[in-house]
Amino acid sequence: MRALLGILLVVALASPASCAGKSRVDGDRLFARVQHQCDAGPRVPGTPGHAAIRDWIGSEARRLGGSVEMQSFTDSSGAAPIALTNVIARFGPAGGRRILFCAHYDTRPWCDRDPDPAFRQQPVPGANDGASGVAVLLELAELMKLAPPPVGVDLVFFDGEDMGTDDRPEGFCLGSRGYAARLPAVGDPARPVAGFLLDMVGDKDLQVYHERNSVERASNLTRLVTEGAAATGARSFHDETKYSVIDDHVPLLDAGLPTVDLIDFDYPAWHTHRDTPDQVSGASMAEVARLVEWIAYRSVLARP
Ligand SMILES: [Zn+2]
């Protein structure tokens, strides 16, 4: 994704944490799934690592009870057409409300922010920028295998998020744009009513602030995140707006699907060769997964 502004807008003080309650979220399993994705190599579209992880996500989601759709399409917006596949896994009851949780599984082809020029043409390992969000979505799938959610839940793993540049920002968010273009019409029961994007949620020093586009365009959902953070004792979430980021939530917002970006954009290893598993922690991802669990099972959105 791409940062636009570094404006800090203080909205309110952080909420006090409360008791987390019982959860089956497993930080070790979360970390193992980050390691597994990085072990496959870069997940740049067209590479073997990308194909392996795309298929692994599909088989994991299916094994955990999801109804899986491989949403393949060709993006022709750039100089060369590119084949992309979003993985969509549907859980819960077929009728009634549906909630979307999403993350990108592709990784950036270049470490273009690396302080060492020798690395700048090499692909990003993507432990935090890619793998962490995927791990949290699959952790929710683990929970949904144990207990079906009260409402429909769509897990969407986006392809082609991270191929843009400052000169060509239209190269970002290709998978989410393809998904948004294919969303069922408003009023169709297959269309989710609210979305939560997880990106860079594994930082050892996790600090998640509200993202500005999310606050301005889906404030009911950013308030819900604050409520969930208090309910689950997620101390790394702050009820303040910090960065403005163009990420996969923007095409969804543009398509009329309210979606918020849960992102810790203060990550020194961002778009460098140091975005490796040792920079992420199972405990950080577990905190995010418990918040996501709360949204799917206990929030106002979880009432059928
Ligand atoms: Zn990125």
Side-chain angles (χ1 to χ4, degrees):
M1 99 302 310
R2 169 171 173 254
L4 283 187
L5 299 165
I7 293 173
L8 176 66
L9 173 65
V10 176
V11 170
L13 294 173
S15 303
S18 66
C19 179
K22 270 190 191 161
S23 171
R24 306 290 288 274
V25 166
D26 182 338
D28 292 339
R29 182 167 57 195
L30 280 153
F31 185 83
R33 283 205 168 100
V34 168
Q35 187 71 58
H36 177 82
Q37 291 173 78
C38 293
D39 287 348
R43 282 82 73 203
V44 176
T47 64
H50 177 274
I53 292 306
R54 174 198 64 207
D55 294 346
W56 171 76
I57 290 169
S59 67
E60 286 290 83
R62 209 172 282 118
R63 179 176 69 77
L64 295 168
S67 168
V68 174
E69 174 192 350
M70 292 292 190
Q71 185 181 58
S72 296
F73 57 97
T74 301
D75 180 278
S76 303
S77 61
I82 174 169
L84 298 172
T85 302
N86 297 324
V87 184
I88 304 175
R90 298 180 172 90
F91 295 78
R97 180 185 293 128
R98 304 199 69 77
I99 315 174
L100 167 70
F101 297 95
C102 49
H104 74 91
Y105 73 90
D106 67 300
T107 52
R108 187 164 182 76
W110 324 279
C111 294
D112 47 336
R113 293 185 64 90
D114 207 292
D116 183 346
F119 288 103
R120 288 187 196 148
Q121 294 304 315
Q122 294 188 18
V124 172
N128 194 23
D129 191 358
S132 68
V134 169
V136 172
L137 295 190
L138 289 173
E139 189 66 18
L140 179 57
E142 296 275 0
L143 304 177
M144 293 191 289
K145 181 173 173 59
L146 296 174
V151 293
V153 170
D154 293 349
L155 305 184
V156 180
F157 305 80
F158 291 129
D159 200 354
E161 187 276 334
D162 221 345
M163 303 177 75
T165 60
D166 286 344
D167 294 344
R168 244 194 104 253
E170 65 274 19
F172 287 104
C173 303
L174 301 182
S176 52
R177 271 194 258 156
Y179 172 80
R182 291 163 180 80
L183 267 173
V186 174
D188 186 321
R191 180 185 171 105
V193 299
F196 299 85
L197 172 63
L198 310 171
D199 196 2
M200 296 177 33
V201 288
D203 192 342
K204 280 188 294 192
D205 174 29
L206 189 69
Q207 304 295 335
V208 182
Y209 293 83
H210 296 311
E211 185 279 327
R212 178 184 283 275
N213 291 300
S214 309
V215 171
E216 291 183 349
R217 302 177 66 182
S219 59
N220 55 336
L221 299 185
T222 53
R223 280 196 296 271
L224 194 74
V225 167
T226 298
E227 184 188 346
T232 59
R235 306 180 72 107
S236 53
F237 282 75
H238 305 280
D239 193 15
E240 300 170 23
T241 302
K242 201 164 181 182
Y243 300 103
S244 181
V245 175
I246 301 295
D247 203 348
D248 286 322
H249 63 316
V250 173
L252 306 188
L253 285 163
D254 289 346
L257 170 52
T259 305
V260 294
D261 193 5
L262 305 184
I263 185 167
D264 175 1
F265 200 56
D266 183 12
Y267 180 57
W270 180 56
H271 291 181
T272 77
H273 76 285
R274 296 195 187 282
D275 183 10
T276 44
D278 61 304
Q279 300 300 315
V280 310
S281 105
S284 295
M285 291 182 285
E287 194 163 291
V288 178
R290 285 190 294 268
L291 172 57
V292 163
E293 176 188 24
W294 179 88
I295 294 169
Y297 286 88
R298 296 197 291 283
S299 75
V300 64
L301 288 174
R303 291 172 201 156

